[in-house]
Amino acid sequence: MTRRRLSPNGPEFSRLVLGTWRLLDDPVTRTADGVLALLKAGLDHGITTVDTAEIYGRYAVEAALGEALSRDPGVREKIEVISKCGIYVPYPGAPERRTAHYNATAAQVVASAEASLRLLGVEALDLLLVHRPDWLTSHEETAAGLNQLLAAGKIRAAGVSNYLASQFEALSAFVDQPLVTNQVEFSPFCVTPIHDGTFDQAQRMKFAPMAWSPLGGGRLFDPADAAGVRLRTVMAAMAARYEGAGPDALAHAWVLAHPSGPLSILGTNKPERVASSARADGISLEREDWYALWEAAQGRSVP
């Protein structure tokens, strides 16, 4: 598995990242042994980077990961951990919350990161992302929390998720250590980062973005999704040119091909799908095939 440095002085991660958004949706990965098996499946294919967030699984995924890692310290030594903070929704564990909201105040960023460290059982996060911009907190205030964590060595790098290019620029002005990534939705179904300046900014500032939902949140395999059906049909026709690669590998390869150098986040809990997706690292899509997949997903030809 190819490794990529997110920015000139940023952390080095595997090009494909194991995502944990739906980790607790699968009965197998609701157990510590199941989670550990999934982590090991990733390592078997060189996927050493794990992406999580405090809100995942209604604030339960980090604890599940921590329990799994406690069973095999050797696995923890081989992986890099990314977490995210800043989204708070009502759930049984927080009955005082009335409304879903964002909070990226300095105090909350620090408290959330420290809670993540405890739940994951790690001394430092390799990367902390502010999950979404908090419209009621100044960028300077958010940066103060990130700066405190960086100075204390509790996080090794900081970045954001779902930020507009202008928001990234504004926060960057107040962070002592350059932000290393912006994690955004990107797939053949969702090409917004190509048009809204996100990927242009990444190339100009020389950082690698990260792509969540590279398979369209399951649309690729949904028989009722017209765009997904079109995309799988085109993928089947071109698979022979890529040694029979499956739709998941080709979708990840499509993401990886963008010149901004995105890292692509896997959303599967199944070891066999980890293996098939990992093939993307060895695929270099031909230019016309990349555009053919764009056309199939978008349902139109390029402008």
Side-chain angles (χ1 to χ4, degrees):
M1 176 66 58
T2 304
R3 296 182 63 76
R4 180 171 178 82
R5 193 167 295 282
L6 289 184
S7 65
N9 295 309
E12 184 180 272
F13 292 152
S14 54
R15 198 178 183 203
L16 291 174
V17 175
L18 188 64
T20 61
W21 181 12
R22 296 191 175 96
L23 187 71
L24 301 183
D25 291 355
D26 190 312
V28 174
T29 48
R30 287 190 202 127
T31 68
D33 288 342
V35 174
L36 190 58
L38 182 65
L39 295 173
K40 288 181 176 179
L43 290 173
D44 286 344
H45 296 281
I47 301 173
T48 63
T49 308
V50 178
D51 176 84
T52 191
E54 63 177 344
I55 193 177
Y56 286 177
R58 290 298 175 111
Y59 308 95
V61 164
E62 287 182 322
L65 281 170
E67 172 62 23
L69 292 173
S70 71
R71 297 192 177 197
D72 192 338
V75 170
R76 170 63 192 103
E77 294 173 0
K78 297 174 182 176
I79 66 172
E80 303 92 28
V81 179
I82 302 168
S83 195
K84 298 181 282 293
C85 66
I87 303 178
Y88 305 96
V89 301
Y91 81 111
E96 74 282 2
R97 290 184 194 157
R98 302 184 305 276
T99 306
H101 60 278
Y102 305 139
N103 186 342
T105 59
Q108 186 61 55
V109 167
V110 171
S112 294
E114 291 177 341
S116 293
L117 293 176
R118 290 193 300 272
L119 292 169
L120 290 162
V122 299
E123 294 182 356
L125 294 171
D126 294 286
L127 173 61
L128 176 69
L129 307 179
V130 181
H131 209 154
R132 287 187 180 273
D134 174 9
W135 306 321
L136 291 180
T137 298
S138 71
H139 295 297
E140 187 172 13
E141 168 79 6
T142 298
L146 296 174
N147 290 337
Q148 182 178 332
L149 291 166
L150 288 163
K154 294 180 179 180
I155 64 173
R156 297 189 174 97
V160 297
S161 182
N162 305 300
Y163 268 51
L164 298 174
S166 59
Q167 294 167 330
F168 188 100
E169 294 266 5
L171 181 59
S172 294
F174 299 103
V175 182
D176 295 337
Q177 185 173 308
L179 300 174
V180 301
T181 194
N182 189 1
Q183 186 181 118
V184 294
E185 183 176 6
F186 182 55
S187 73
F189 304 98
C190 176
V191 296
T192 303
I194 291 177
H195 302 294
D196 69 1
T198 299
F199 284 179
D200 295 330
Q201 178 186 58
Q203 293 179 76
R204 179 173 59 83
M205 297 182 71
K206 299 187 183 302
F207 68 82
M210 299 179 69
W212 60 266
S213 285
L215 275 59
R219 292 180 64 187
L220 180 60
F221 293 104
D222 184 353
D225 189 287
V229 171
R230 291 195 305 268
L231 194 54
R232 290 198 311 277
T233 300
V234 172
M235 286 174 165
M238 67 175 62
R241 288 196 290 278
Y242 303 101
E243 300 181 350
D248 45 4
L250 291 172
H252 286 293
W254 187 92
V255 168
L256 297 175
H258 192 271
S260 63
L263 276 63
S264 193
I265 302 174
L266 278 64
T268 183
N269 295 328
K270 301 184 183 303
E272 62 272 19
R273 288 281 304 281
V274 171
S276 59
S277 296
R279 294 187 60 186
D281 184 51
I283 294 173
S284 179
L285 283 176
E286 296 178 13
R287 179 178 293 268
E288 289 191 36
D289 286 342
W290 191 93
Y291 279 98
L293 296 179
W294 186 98
E295 287 190 349
Q298 296 295 309
R300 58 191 175 94
S301 62
V302 295

